Amino acid sequence: MASELTFIMVKPDGVQRGLTGEIISRFERRGFKLVNLKMVHASKEHIEKHYEDLAGKPFYPGLVKYMSSGPVVAMCWAGKDVVKQGRILLGATNPLASSPGTIRGDYAIDVGRNICHGSDAVESAKKELELWFGQEAAGIQYERAIDQWVYEN
Ligand code: GDP
Ligand code: MG
């Protein structure tokens, strides 16, 4: 089936707090398909590029420092409506506004330590996947036997 892709990342605080497996599990259990994953300790310049739309915000220098302070887990997930559904699984940007049952609503408190990232649109997902995975932006192509139990068609 034609499948949408999104870029999901466990941020440095998520890695430090041992929440990588939990975040992956939430996407797996929903039925989404993991098509790429790597651990990266990103440079300041790489994070500046990732968050270039936010340059100028008062929290931007702190955001760049936080995001380049330790390794992150960069992932590409595939599935029907995965960009929007991924954002729903993560919860609101500010964990204080995230519903219980979402990742941020269950595991985070401060907006500046909100443990995970997810692309906000199909176009930004494409851009972010190219930035983090380069040539492998489209992920690994493989069939999953369970897809007939996840999707009707
Ligand atoms: P996201 O797409 O839900 O991650 O939210 P944004 O794209 O608006 O912001 C990117 C990231 O910047 C967020 O996930 C937060 O880590 C951080 N951020 C956003 N707003 C604030 C803020 O008001 N204060 C601080 N300290 N960080 C923020
Ligand atoms: Mg964003």
Side-chain angles (χ1 to χ4, degrees):
M1 57 164 285
S3 196
E4 192 171 286
L5 299 178
T6 194
F7 177 66
I8 299 293
M9 168 167 53
V10 183
K11 294 180 174 181
D13 48 338
V15 171
Q16 291 292 332
R17 292 179 54 196
L19 293 170
T20 302
E22 176 64 27
I23 292 168
I24 291 174
S25 272
R26 300 238 179 163
F27 281 82
E28 279 187 328
R29 285 183 304 205
R30 181 73 190 277
F32 292 123
K33 178 179 171 183
L34 183 61
V35 296
N36 222 339
L37 170 147
K38 66 177 175 184
M39 185 173 245
V40 192
H41 190 156
S43 66
K44 250 176 114 255
E45 293 68 32
H46 189 87
I47 297 297
E48 282 165 359
K49 184 99 194 99
H50 174 78
Y51 281 127
E52 66 185 358
D53 294 353
L54 298 174
K57 298 273 186 199
F59 58 83
Y60 184 74
L63 174 63
V64 172
K65 190 173 175 208
Y66 151 56
M67 290 298 298
S68 56
S69 67
V72 301
V73 176
M75 295 177 274
C76 179
W77 286 88
K80 190 189 278 184
D81 200 29
V82 71
V83 171
K84 183 172 148 217
Q85 299 304 322
R87 297 276 294 187
I88 293 170
L89 287 174
L90 300 191
T93 302
N94 186 341
L96 295 181
S98 303
S99 304
T102 65
I103 295 167
R104 288 165 174 166
D106 286 348
Y107 298 110
I109 297 171
D110 263 359
V111 67
R113 296 290 184 272
N114 63 357
I115 74 170
C116 49
H117 166 83
S119 309
D120 62 8
V122 172
E123 258 320 291
S124 46
K126 192 168 177 290
K127 233 176 106 184
E128 292 172 2
L129 288 167
E130 275 162 17
L131 175 66
W132 289 85
F133 288 106
Q135 301 270 51
E136 279 103 56
I140 306 289
Q141 309 297 309
Y142 67 103
E143 294 297 318
R144 276 194 328 184
I146 63 149
D147 274 343
Q148 63 176 312
W149 305 109
V150 174
Y151 295 106
E152 185 179 6
N153 299 302

